[in-house]
Amino acid sequence: MRHHWRTNAAAAAGLAIAVAVLAGAFNVGESVRASLRELAVARLGATQFAVTSDTSFREELLPEAPLIALEAVVTHDGSGRRASRVALYAVDERFWRFHDKTVAPPGRNQFLLSDALASELGAKAGDNLLVRVPRASEIPTESLHGKKDDPGRTVRGTMREVVTRAAMGEFSLRPQQGGVRAVFVNLARFQRDLEMDGRVNVALAKSNPTESVRAKFQLEDVALRLKDGFVSHESMMLDDATVAAIQRADPQAQAAFTYLANTIRRNGKEIPYSVVTAMDLPDLASDGDIVLNEWAARDLEAKPGDLIEIEYYLWDPTGRLVTKVASFRNSGTVKIEEWHRNLAPEYPGISDAPTISDWEPPFPMDLGRIRPADEEYWNQHRATPKAFVRLYAGQKLWRSRYGAVTGMRTSLTPERLRAAVNPLTLLQVQDVRTAALDASKGATDFGEYFVYFSFFLVVSALLLAAMFFRFGLEQRAGEIATLRSLGWSIAGIRRLMLTEAAAVAITGSLLGSILAFAYSQFVIFGLRTWWVDAVGTRDLYMVFSPLSIAVGVGAGLLMALLVVVGSLRAVGKQAPRQSALRPTKAARYALMLVIAAVAMLPLGGAGAFFGVGALLLAAALTWLYGRLKRRNAAVNSIPTLGLRYSGRRPGRAVLSIALIASATFLIVAIDSFRRGSHENAAGPRFFAESAIPIYYNPNTQQGRETLNLEVQSTWIPFRLRPGDDASCLNLYQPQNPRVIGAPSWWLEFKPQNDGTIPAAVDANTLQYALHKKLGDVITVGNARLKFTQVLRDSVFQSEIVINDVDFQRAFPEEQGFRVFLIDAAPGADAQLEKSLADYGLDVTLTADRIAAFHRVENTYLSTFQALGALGLILGTAGLAAVLLRNVLERRRELALLRATGFNTAHLSKMILAENIFLLAAGLLAGIVCASIAVLPTVIQRGGSLPWLTILLLSAGVAIVGLASSWLAVRVAVRSPLLSALRSEA
């Protein structure tokens, strides 16, 4: 080792680079995971569990840290700047006491802002802000009695200060790497403004609160009422699980479905605005029967057998009110009984009105139809039903996704009803800290990615190390022959060489483990600066992971030993430079590799790309090796003589070509995968998302007038279930991905027979964020979604797409439309946002949204290229080393040529020709192989090869190669002639 220290040091350096890159890549992955873990945990503070509700519950249920969490739109009153989809937290002093922080809670008219929100709004202490949130209502807005014209509430206040991350200013139950835009408001005030006195929708806990919830919950926590033997819900609809629970506890319980009819009509006579109940009464023999109470029968002069029509409103899910008519056969009359009054739910704006004329329903009503007799009935009987039909018949007419029962007549006491109901079907207990830690493992394994990204850099370093090992063996051919002549066996010589080489490999690996820290720091710095678009945050830091370093060192050492063993195979009966691979066999093997690559080409995808690339590069290098082995080629010029010198040691030459070819392949191929602009892409021009749901159809005249929409536009509405961003913009593993409901005509789904809901997802999201494949099933909420379609380069990379009908059934709590594709004139986005400012509509170009996804992808590619460029630097350095080595080894030959008449110009041409051949062969092999490997991608995207990159790359490598040639020529011409000839003698 000491005697050949120069060669060994060069080999150890190559191995050190390979080990540093591998160990550093693994350490980068652990650093990113640690950064995400710390960020998620810091934002949760002391929170381990969270109890949430789609409606609300008493804050006394879990009084340690109750709060109201909503999505808000915040507007700076002075500048007009607006931020949508802001996390609003209505809190009091209990919130910061829970997290052990000393922050004064916001006063009645005060707002506290996170740093990210204050920066976006340009807000400072004392500025006036407007906060708009969805209106709280137990009644589904998309039901007949839901108020759709007033979907939000606006609250004015003053910014007091910015709350830092350390003081829980970035509190979030949903992990995200970007800055949290949050506003903290006074809990008591918001409870009053939202008509939620004493109620909240989130409670934080440090330990599992499940048993506490079961023990302490009251009927009002799950919005149930029990009055005079009748169970109802504040939403006016009992869900199926509650109905089943009541029927199990009281088999004699009767379900009722009460609805408001616009008209009850018989033969031209009609009663306006009457309550009708669907309930299985003895007088109803079939689903086509109806019975009138004695007042209605007398008013309509109805007799048994008469045809009775019921006219009623339905809210169509597409965003409009429609009128329906149903016909029944009168089967008799029932007396008005006292318990009938309880069959009608509490209708807001109706039940508490003193007269019918004072009703304030959320649907159109013609007060001119009201008669004195109707007012008298209301005064005496209030909302007592005037007609009854069978339960199933009413459910067929009026059932919605929120349920098919408005109440249950039962003998249960409040205590028995409470024991029958499971509160955890309506109150969700979530282990948010465990979920955040699971998510922080990341959608992207950066350790794995940087191993991929560094692949060609590692290959280049190993090839360089192999080349110097090879140098050492070749220069010791005489030593090996001497040892053999002294009686050493081939096995003994190999053990001797392997021991020395293993010591070199261990030295290089240990050095690499030290350099791994520098490489890790370099990559983390790059992710925080040059490549920040790939991670979306600057909150990354490097950690020391002994396991990651050990794995990298172990892998590097194993590869180093493989390189050593491969080189030592040459130690045999033949000289190290001899080989059994003849030119004809080389050509045959190269052809087989090409055929295999062509067969793999149509498969497409990353696997095929790398597979085709590796096969083609192997084919090119094998063919070149065979060409260099040819001994019968004529030498008729000085440059030809230089080319023949390359074949003197073909293994060394092929290694040099491989260094250049692999890096060139990487740089050219990766540039072909870059995504371009989508400014001229087909489809709607704008993508929009609202903070507050929109219930009216903006494509109809009524919808445009209601929304005050003056811009000529065509809208495609989608429903949204909020959740984790499933695109490449989110580093965290999506635990609860966003889901959107698409119109049936926009995307066709094939029904599944296994109880799952068919779903479509972008190809990148499926593979890289969700780590799933077609046919896999994912559970979101209570729905099982099966991936049956793949979207390519879609604007919906953040979401899973399902059919709107399936969406309404799977997620009935999500109402209205919040995501839109809008086709309008260029520049219409500002007017659209202004018209729908109350809904917090954010409008962006679809091209810009797709470009945001592409920026992440392109940044990854830039990272890949940057590391490939390092590999190219290593390759050119290796090539320079080969040239210098060749010159030094051939000093005697060059001196003899000069002595026999070759002048300096001849020698320069010869050395230059050899170098240009190696450079050109490496460049040409890399460019051609890369162009073929990316051909399916280029054809699919309708693009072209990166000719500019190819030209610049060729020029750069040519300049470096010529500089290396010039250095080799100078060494050759300055070599002393006499001493070299004496050495030869």
Side-chain angles (χ1 to χ4, degrees):
M1 282 182 65
R2 286 196 305 270
H3 185 71
H4 300 287
W5 70 269
R6 292 179 179 84
T7 303
N8 288 335
L15 294 176
I17 292 173
V19 169
V21 170
L22 277 177
F26 288 125
N27 202 63
V28 165
E30 184 54 41
S31 297
V32 172
R33 285 189 291 272
S35 300
L36 294 180
R37 280 196 302 271
E38 180 177 317
L39 192 60
V41 168
R43 287 172 173 172
L44 285 173
T47 309
Q48 178 71 48
F49 290 86
V51 178
T52 63
S53 170
D54 294 328
T55 54
S56 63
F57 54 89
R58 295 173 305 121
E59 61 180 272
E60 289 83 5
L61 179 63
L62 291 165
E64 188 176 10
L67 62 139
I68 297 174
L70 297 171
E71 198 169 276
V73 182
V74 182
T75 305
H76 189 278
D77 198 25
S79 66
R81 290 183 180 177
R82 181 168 59 90
S84 296
R85 299 170 61 189
V86 173
L88 177 140
Y89 303 111
V91 297
D92 56 19
E93 68 281 351
R94 288 174 289 181
F95 176 79
W96 279 282
R97 187 167 62 238
F98 175 84
H99 295 292
D100 197 23
K101 305 295 181 182
T102 54
V103 176
R108 180 178 179 80
N109 297 314
Q110 292 178 336
F111 299 151
L112 308 183
L113 272 63
S114 68
D115 183 69
L117 179 59
S119 299
E120 182 171 339
L121 295 176
K124 59 185 184 299
D127 288 355
N128 292 325
L129 302 175
L130 299 175
V131 173
R132 186 165 177 81
V133 295
R135 184 177 58 84
S137 175
E138 299 286 355
I139 299 175
T141 308
E142 281 196 290
S143 67
L144 177 63
H145 294 276
K147 293 185 177 180
K148 306 165 187 64
D149 295 332
D150 185 21
R153 289 284 186 269
T154 301
V155 179
R156 180 184 293 272
T158 302
M159 175 182 169
R160 193 185 80 193
E161 62 179 301
V162 170
V163 187
T164 64
R165 178 187 297 174
M168 300 308 299
E170 292 191 359
F171 173 75
S172 177
L173 295 176
R174 183 177 297 159
Q176 61 184 82
Q177 77 270 17
V180 175
R181 301 178 305 158
V183 56
F184 297 85
V185 302
N186 183 274
L187 176 60
R189 181 191 178 183
F190 257 71
Q191 286 175 326
R192 185 204 68 188
D193 291 344
L194 297 179
E195 300 175 355
M196 294 175 60
D197 292 340
R199 302 180 71 83
V200 294
N201 63 358
V202 175
L204 309 181
K206 297 178 181 178
S207 58
N208 194 332
T210 299
E211 294 307 317
S212 177
V213 169
R214 290 183 188 275
K216 295 172 59 178
F217 94 96
Q218 301 296 326
L219 294 179
E220 59 185 299
D221 290 320
V222 291
L224 289 178
R225 301 190 187 104
L226 177 59
K227 180 181 179 182
D228 298 331
F230 196 78
V231 181
S232 62
H233 194 277
E234 291 180 12
S235 68
M236 301 197 307
M237 199 69 67
L238 292 175
D239 65 275
D240 295 342
T242 301
V243 171
I246 294 173
Q247 288 177 332
R248 284 194 298 270
D250 179 12
Q252 303 303 317
Q254 284 184 288
F257 193 174
T258 300
Y259 205 77
L260 182 64
N262 296 337
T263 304
I264 301 177
R265 182 183 300 115
R266 185 201 73 84
N267 196 26
K269 297 181 68 68
E270 58 183 42
I271 304 174
Y273 305 114
S274 304
V275 173
V276 179
T277 293
M279 191 174 188
D280 291 332
L281 298 180
D283 295 327
L284 295 169
S286 70
D287 290 339
D289 290 346
I290 187 171
V291 293
L292 303 175
N293 72 8
E294 52 192 359
W295 185 94
R298 183 172 58 252
D299 191 74
L300 292 176
E301 299 178 359
K303 301 182 296 296
D306 285 349
L307 186 67
I308 306 296
E309 289 185 343
I310 295 179
E311 183 180 291
Y312 56 93
Y313 281 139
L314 277 182
W315 180 259
D316 190 278
T318 60
R320 61 193 180 97
L321 197 64
V322 296
T323 302
K324 300 283 187 178
V325 177
S327 298
F328 296 90
R329 184 68 59 183
N330 184 21
S331 64
T333 304
V334 295
K335 291 183 178 181
I336 298 176
E337 300 187 38
E338 185 63 26
W339 64 270
H340 287 177
R341 181 175 294 198
N342 295 325
L343 292 173
E346 293 289 333
Y347 293 119
I350 297 178
S351 297
D352 54 353
T355 67
I356 297 179
S357 299
D358 293 321
W359 284 9
E360 294 181 356
F363 50 81
M365 180 177 174
D366 183 3
L367 294 177
R369 298 178 59 206
I370 306 301
R371 306 165 302 168
D374 301 322
E375 291 287 12
E376 183 182 354
Y377 183 92
W378 179 259
N379 185 50
Q380 293 181 8
H381 306 291
R382 308 302 290 177
T384 300
K386 296 175 184 175
F388 294 86
V389 298
R390 285 179 63 86
L391 179 63
Y392 181 70
Q395 289 176 333
K396 283 202 305 182
L397 298 179
W398 308 315
R399 182 184 184 113
S400 71
R401 66 181 189 269
Y402 310 110
V405 173
T406 57
M408 299 281 290
R409 190 183 183 200
T410 178
S411 61
L412 293 176
T413 63
E415 292 73 20
R416 290 180 61 199
L417 176 60
R418 181 179 175 277
V421 174
N422 180 9
L424 299 182
T425 61
L426 301 169
L427 299 173
Q428 295 83 43
V429 177
Q430 304 172 32
D431 186 349
V432 291
R433 183 174 293 265
T434 299
L437 292 176
D438 290 341
S440 66
K441 295 175 183 177
T444 299
D445 187 337
F446 275 84
E448 181 181 338
Y449 268 39
F450 273 92
V451 169
Y452 294 154
F453 291 171
S454 308
F455 174 73
F456 284 102
L457 179 57
V458 172
V459 168
S460 297
L462 290 175
L463 287 176
L464 198 60
M467 187 158 40
F468 281 105
F469 273 123
R470 192 78 176 179
F471 284 167
L473 289 175
E474 289 170 352
Q475 77 181 79
R476 297 164 70 173
E479 176 187 338
I480 292 171
T482 302
L483 290 173
R484 288 187 60 193
S485 66
L486 293 174
W488 282 63
S489 67
I490 297 297
I493 295 173
R494 284 178 176 164
R495 282 195 300 270
L496 177 67
M497 298 291 181
L498 183 60
T499 303
E500 179 183 338
V504 174
I506 292 171
T507 302
S509 297
L510 293 176
L511 177 61
S513 66
I514 298 173
L515 294 176
F517 293 103
Y519 182 78
S520 299
Q521 193 65 55
F522 164 76
V523 172
I524 292 295
F525 177 79
L527 290 173
R528 290 199 304 256
T529 53
W530 315 309
W531 307 319
V532 70
D533 283 339
V535 294
T537 180
R538 300 183 188 275
D539 293 323
L540 298 179
Y541 62 92
M542 195 190 83
V543 299
F544 169 64
S545 172
L547 179 61
S548 298
I549 298 297
V551 169
V553 170
L557 185 59
L558 177 62
M559 290 188 295
L561 292 176
L562 290 176
V563 168
V564 169
V565 171
S567 300
L568 288 175
R569 288 182 60 202
V571 180
K573 296 181 180 180
Q574 297 177 330
R577 64 176 178 268
Q578 294 178 343
S579 173
L581 185 61
R582 298 178 180 177
T584 52
K585 287 187 177 181
R588 192 179 308 152
Y589 293 154
L591 180 60
M592 292 170 61
L593 291 170
V594 170
I595 292 173
V598 171
M600 188 181 290
L601 196 61
L603 297 178
F609 160 70
F610 279 109
V612 170
L615 289 172
L616 289 176
L617 280 175
L621 296 175
T622 302
W623 182 80
L624 285 169
Y625 184 85
R627 297 292 297 177
L628 291 172
K629 289 285 290 182
R630 291 179 62 188
R631 299 298 183 187
N632 56 355
V635 177
N636 50 22
S637 65
I638 298 297
T640 305
L641 182 60
L643 295 181
R644 284 295 300 275
Y645 263 110
S646 298
R648 182 169 177 263
R649 297 190 185 277
R652 183 186 299 180
V654 168
L655 279 177
S656 303
I657 293 171
L659 284 169
I660 301 295
S662 59
T664 303
F665 174 89
L666 173 69
I667 295 173
V668 173
I670 293 305
D671 210 55
S672 302
F673 282 96
R674 288 189 179 276
R675 299 281 191 172
S677 171
H678 276 65
E679 292 180 0
N680 300 319
R685 187 183 305 276
F686 298 108
F687 174 94
E689 183 172 341
S690 65
I692 297 174
I694 295 174
Y695 299 97
Y696 291 95
N697 187 346
N699 293 312
T700 64
Q701 183 64 30
Q702 179 189 358
R704 286 192 292 270
E705 291 176 357
T706 304
L707 297 172
N708 193 29
L709 191 62
E710 299 177 355
V711 178
Q712 187 65 35
S713 53
T714 302
W715 296 56
I716 305 175
F718 300 84
R719 299 181 188 274
L720 171 67
R721 182 185 188 274
D724 302 331
D725 186 339
S727 75
C728 54
L729 301 176
N730 184 16
L731 287 186
Y732 288 91
Q733 175 70 46
Q735 302 290 300
N736 183 35
R738 286 162 52 104
V739 181
I740 63 171
S744 300
W745 61 265
W746 187 79
L747 191 63
E748 184 178 355
F749 291 93
K750 184 178 180 180
Q752 303 298 296
N753 298 321
D754 54 4
T756 60
I757 297 174
V761 67
D762 186 85
N764 288 336
T765 299
L766 182 67
Q767 181 175 358
Y768 299 112
L770 300 176
H771 301 288
K772 301 290 183 181
K773 60 183 182 300
L774 280 178
D776 284 351
V777 176
I778 185 173
T779 300
V780 181
N782 295 321
R784 296 175 66 243
L785 311 182
K786 185 175 184 178
F787 298 119
T788 59
Q789 292 186 53
V790 168
L791 308 176
R792 300 288 180 183
D793 203 21
S794 168
V795 70
F796 293 121
Q797 294 188 37
S798 300
E799 300 86 10
I800 298 172
V801 185
I802 64 176
N803 185 277
D804 184 70
V805 175
D806 291 331
F807 184 98
Q808 294 180 56
R809 186 176 67 252
F811 311 113
E813 70 280 3
E814 303 299 340
Q815 304 176 64
F817 301 94
R818 289 188 53 190
V819 173
F820 308 89
L821 293 179
I822 307 173
D823 205 7
D829 48 341
Q831 185 60 40
L832 289 169
E833 289 185 347
K834 182 179 179 181
S835 298
L836 297 174
D838 284 348
Y839 294 88
L841 189 73
D842 271 340
V843 183
T844 59
L845 288 167
T846 52
D848 289 346
R849 179 174 171 83
I850 295 176
F853 299 134
H854 289 175
R855 274 196 299 274
V856 177
E857 187 174 343
N858 289 340
T859 303
Y860 281 128
L861 297 177
S862 296
T863 308
F864 209 162
Q865 278 190 313
L867 297 176
L870 292 177
L872 187 58
I873 292 172
L874 275 182
T876 52
L879 183 59
V882 169
L883 290 172
L884 290 175
R885 184 74 189 184
N886 286 345
V887 168
L888 292 174
E889 282 185 354
R890 287 155 40 196
R891 283 181 300 172
R892 290 170 293 183
E893 298 171 15
L894 295 174
L896 183 60
L897 289 173
R898 289 172 63 186
T900 55
F902 286 81
N903 57 32
T904 301
H906 293 152
L907 298 182
S908 300
K909 286 181 182 180
M910 185 176 66
I911 296 171
L912 188 62
E914 180 181 359
N915 191 22
I916 290 176
F917 166 73
L918 296 177
L919 280 171
L923 275 173
L924 190 62
I927 291 171
V928 171
C929 293
S931 300
I932 296 173
V934 301
L935 193 60
T937 300
V938 172
I939 294 174
Q940 178 186 347
R941 297 182 181 179
S944 61
L945 291 174
W947 299 113
L948 180 61
T949 298
I950 292 174
L951 291 174
L952 293 176
L953 180 66
S954 301
V957 173
I959 291 172
V960 174
L962 291 174
S964 302
S965 302
W966 174 81
L967 180 62
V969 168
R970 285 181 60 85
V971 171
V973 299
R974 290 186 175 185
S975 178
L977 176 62
L978 188 58
S979 60
L981 288 175
R982 285 176 176 172
S983 175
E984 180 69 18

